[in-house]
Amino acid sequence: TWAPGERANIVRRDDNLKPEGDFHKRPDQKWAPGERANIVKRDDNLHPEGEFQKRPDGTWAPGERANIVRRDDNLQPEGDFAKRPDAKWAPGERANVIKRDDNLHPEGEFTKRPDGTWAPGERANIVRRDDNLQPEGDFAKRPDAKWSPGERANVVRRDDNLHPEGEFTKRPDGKWAPGERANIVKRGDNLQPEGEFSKRPDSIWAPGERANIVRRDDNLHPEGEFQKRPDGTWAPGERANIVRRDDNLQPEGDFAKRPDAKWAPGERANVIKRDDNLHPEGEFTKRPDGTWAPGERANIV
């Protein structure tokens, strides 16, 4: 059974420190925010004169793009392209497992762990040291005060020379429509397939083969009887008593009640189905009728 290791004894060395008199007590003080440096704004010699240049009125348009130039080359492919040979997939080869010989020859019987019940290790006794702290009088209690928001700085709006004139240009009323798309250009090529495409052979699905389970022999021989768990009924553990602390909250007046309102679903946008050029032709291939059956399992060895 498991047991903790031994620990060295704790040795406390003697010293020549002998405190005399009373300890210096920290002076009582109330919390207050720190001081902030005054904000200093430097003067400058910038004096704007005249009117600001106004942006010219105009509608937005995308910029111009350079024309795509395709350079000529001297590549002239001749003959047929080399086709990849047809091959079926197969797993790769694995290296043979080589077990090296050694000179280890175990002799005799293995030392068995001694029987014993588990127990926690020993703990050092708790020693509480004496001190010279002797509190006198009552503790300083926090003064009762109601919460109130802090002060905010006054909002200062700076003057400027911007004087809008005339009416604002209103966005034209119009319905949403998708933008224009560029025409699809399909480039020509020199690929001319000949003959018929190789069709996948029809086959019924079946699970793959599994390797046989091999159970290795070992030298473990359990002896004696196993310790059985003692019979007993389940019971919850003990809980600590709930202690409710007193507070200074004294609600006054009536609570604001939520107005009565009935539930109603929200509005949904109209469903718009876009047109397309997909026209299915012919009949759909139907799944073959068949009954389900579990796959084969490997024999247990």
Side-chain angles (χ1 to χ4, degrees), residues 17-202:
L17 300 178
K18 301 175 181 179
E20 298 179 358
D22 297 332
F23 288 94
H24 290 287
K25 187 177 180 182
R26 180 178 295 173
D28 298 332
Q29 57 183 4
K30 296 182 179 180
W31 179 87
E35 299 179 358
R36 295 185 179 181
N38 298 328
I39 299 174
V40 180
K41 296 190 177 182
R42 306 296 180 185
D43 298 331
D44 53 32
N45 294 322
L46 301 178
H47 305 288
E49 298 178 358
E51 297 181 357
F52 288 94
Q53 295 180 355
K54 188 176 179 182
R55 180 178 294 173
D57 298 332
T59 57
W60 180 87
E64 298 179 359
R65 294 186 179 180
N67 297 328
I68 299 175
V69 180
R70 297 184 182 276
R71 306 296 180 184
D72 297 332
D73 54 32
N74 294 324
L75 300 178
Q76 300 174 359
E78 298 178 358
D80 298 331
F81 288 94
K83 186 177 179 182
R84 180 178 294 174
D86 298 332
K88 295 182 180 179
W89 180 87
E93 299 179 358
R94 294 186 180 180
N96 297 328
V97 179
I98 301 176
K99 295 188 178 181
R100 307 295 182 183
D101 298 332
D102 52 34
N103 294 323
L104 301 177
H105 304 288
E107 298 178 359
E109 297 181 358
F110 288 94
T111 56
K112 187 178 179 182
R113 180 177 293 174
D115 298 333
T117 57
W118 180 85
E122 298 180 359
R123 295 186 179 180
N125 297 328
I126 299 175
V127 180
R128 299 184 183 276
R129 305 296 180 184
D130 298 332
D131 52 32
N132 294 324
L133 301 178
Q134 299 174 359
E136 299 178 358
D138 298 332
F139 288 94
K141 186 178 179 181
R142 180 179 295 174
D144 299 332
K146 295 183 179 179
W147 180 87
S148 60
E151 298 180 359
R152 295 186 180 180
N154 297 329
V155 179
V156 179
R157 298 183 183 276
R158 305 297 180 185
D159 298 332
D160 53 32
N161 294 324
L162 301 178
H163 305 288
E165 299 177 358
E167 297 181 359
F168 288 94
T169 56
K170 186 177 179 182
R171 180 179 294 173
D173 298 332
K175 296 182 179 179
W176 180 87
E180 298 180 359
R181 295 187 179 180
N183 296 328
I184 299 175
V185 180
K186 296 189 178 182
R187 306 295 180 185
D189 53 32
N190 294 325
L191 300 178
Q192 300 174 359
E194 298 178 357
E196 297 180 358
F197 287 94
S198 56
K199 186 178 179 182
R200 179 180 295 174
D202 299 332

